[in-house]
Amino acid sequence: MSEAITVSLGARSYDIRVGSGLLKSAGALLAPMARGPVPVVTDEHVAAKHLEPLLLSLRNAKIDARPIVLPPGEGTKSFSGLERLTSDLLKTGVDRGGVVVALGGGVVGDITGFAAAVLKRGIDFVQIPTTLLAQVDSSVGGKTAINTAEGKNLIGVFHQPRLVIADIDTLASLPRRELLAGYAEVVKYGALGDGNFFTWLEAHGAKALGGDKADLTHAVAHSCRMKADIVARDERESGERALLNLGHTFGHALEAATGYSQRLLHGEGVAVGMVLAFRLSAKLGLCSANDSDRIERYLKQAGLPARIADIPGNRPDADTLISHMMHDKKAKDGKLVFVLVHAIGQAFVTSNVSMDDVRAVLAD
Ligand code: GLY
């Protein structure tokens, strides 16, 4: 059982395969593009669970797979991490006509994509995301990056993968909290552009999160389809792609104010941020309080934080959050860019928001 979605970008178009049992088929899927040694980059946690089955599948397809195992965690996405990784990649002997595989979550995908983009002036890469967040967001669309002391993801390039293989079976071993954090991004797709999908999630989301393969495949595939369509229309985020940042202006500020710690995972910040974006939209008379309540109720019911007060520890105050927002890389010409909504499934981008209204919503 699997679905195929195409990201249509002319000569750089690629497929996203979503379904159960796909790690076993990875060899067959990769064989047409594999030439010479194929580095498989992963981290220690993912390697313990998924590396062997992947290597078996690749080797059964006569692919000369060469594992590179990185330390887990966001710290790996650094210049020193990139230096180590590019050196390890070069040592495998991969050449310009070859392909690099990223097996793991957002950290592995982001740094491997970036390394592939700069190695020998650009080598193809394949994403095999193993977290829900990576399957529905970071593995699709070609954003690659590392972090610096100045901020997250500030150094990077667009480099589209040649193929994305999202095996939903890899999600079974994720800690519940991490699965839910990724699920916030799934809910985001309904909230930003597809009210019917949001309604479907209200009815089927719990089953999908409980491991129902058909529902989970549909939730991931539909999210990927929505992202693929947006990326095809606006690859470089000059317009519509910014809709994918629904909840992120608030969410990033909350992540910064909580020190990017276990207090608030990225997806949890997006969940609270989405509710704040709906609340701000309702306050400005752009959407109904009903829709705003419905989003909040559903996120809560799914097990996600939906209010600032749901975040453990001291509550960050409105001014601290606003000052973090002003430093966000998405701020343009000193103006904050918000994704607001007319209704569930009808988001739009604006920089025409008064800080007094933002402050009032944060303080509420
Ligand atoms: N994560 C948002 C994007 O890929 O544009």
Side-chain angles (χ1 to χ4, degrees):
M1 179 198 351
S2 86
E3 292 199 34
I5 297 127
T6 301
V7 184
S8 301
L9 290 168
R12 291 174 299 110
S13 297
Y14 58 94
D15 278 353
I16 307 164
R17 301 292 297 260
V18 180
S20 170
L22 287 177
L23 268 193
K24 285 194 204 87
S25 318
L29 292 169
L30 266 135
M33 62 188 80
R35 262 198 34 207
V38 174
V40 177
V41 183
T42 188
D43 73 26
E44 286 158 15
H45 291 160
V46 177
K49 293 176 196 150
H50 307 303
L51 184 58
E52 280 314 315
L54 176 63
L55 292 180
L56 187 68
S57 169
L58 297 180
R59 285 171 182 156
N60 282 343
K62 307 271 179 291
I63 293 172
D64 178 12
R66 308 282 184 90
I68 296 174
V69 182
L70 308 175
E74 197 72 26
T76 294
K77 263 178 66 173
S78 60
F79 266 116
S80 57
L82 182 71
E83 189 179 359
R84 269 195 307 275
L85 175 57
T86 46
S87 160
D88 287 347
L89 287 168
L90 289 170
K91 281 182 200 136
T92 66
V94 63
D95 70 29
R96 277 203 69 185
V99 65
V100 175
V101 175
L103 170 73
V107 167
V108 167
D110 282 4
I111 191 170
T112 306
F114 189 28
V118 294
L119 202 77
K120 301 188 176 178
R121 300 200 180 89
I123 292 186
D124 286 341
F125 83 116
V126 169
Q127 291 267 25
I128 307 188
T130 58
T131 65
L132 184 53
L133 189 126
Q135 292 192 352
V136 299
D137 186 24
S138 59
S139 68
V140 175
K143 281 188 181 176
T144 74
I146 56 171
N147 306 325
T148 61
E150 289 74 21
K152 292 181 82 171
N153 297 328
L154 292 180
I155 307 290
V157 294
F158 284 96
H159 184 52
Q160 298 291 343
R162 279 279 307 276
L163 172 70
V164 179
I165 303 172
D167 184 338
I168 58 145
D169 297 344
T170 61
L171 307 180
S173 55
L174 281 185
R176 180 79 183 171
R177 187 175 170 202
E178 198 178 336
L179 183 71
L180 280 175
Y183 187 66
E185 300 275 1
V186 175
V187 175
K188 184 191 76 178
Y189 288 103
L192 76 88
D194 189 343
N196 289 335
F197 183 50
F198 184 81
T199 304
W200 184 89
L201 290 172
E202 285 178 314
H204 296 260
K207 250 171 80 198
L209 286 168
D212 182 281
K213 290 189 180 195
D215 282 343
L216 191 51
T217 299
H218 178 72
V220 174
H222 193 82
S223 302
C224 288
R225 196 168 292 117
M226 287 186 68
K227 181 155 184 182
D229 288 350
I230 291 173
V231 168
R233 290 191 292 265
D234 178 24
E235 183 183 8
R236 297 284 173 130
E237 199 170 313
S238 46
E240 186 185 355
R241 185 164 179 169
L243 294 177
L244 298 172
N245 299 326
L246 175 61
H248 283 62
T249 302
F250 288 114
H252 284 157
L254 289 163
E255 280 185 277
T258 49
Y260 295 99
S261 66
Q262 284 299 307
R263 270 178 74 195
L264 188 72
L265 304 180
H266 172 72
E268 294 171 339
V270 170
V272 179
M274 264 193 292
V275 174
L276 290 166
F278 270 80
R279 289 254 167 268
L280 180 57
S281 305
K283 180 175 171 45
L284 298 175
L286 297 165
C287 91
S288 74
N290 242 2
D291 277 357
S292 172
D293 291 344
R294 189 171 157 209
I295 289 279
E296 180 174 341
R297 202 167 43 243
Y298 181 59
L299 289 168
K300 245 195 176 113
Q301 183 192 317
L304 280 155
R307 292 194 152 238
I308 298 178
D310 295 335
I311 302 169
N314 291 342
R315 183 189 168 115
D317 65 59
D319 285 324
T320 306
L321 291 171
I322 286 176
S323 112
H324 282 299
M325 284 181 194
M326 298 313 270
H327 289 101
D328 196 285
K329 70 175 182 304
K330 291 186 167 66
K332 267 195 192 135
D333 308 325
K335 287 209 107 183
L336 283 176
V337 181
F338 283 94
V339 183
L340 298 183
V341 287
H342 291 302
I344 290 175
Q346 290 175 38
F348 64 98
V349 181
T350 178
S351 51
N352 194 15
V353 177
S354 113
M355 276 338 240
D356 288 343
D357 289 324
V358 174
R359 190 172 286 103
V361 165
L362 289 171
D364 184 5

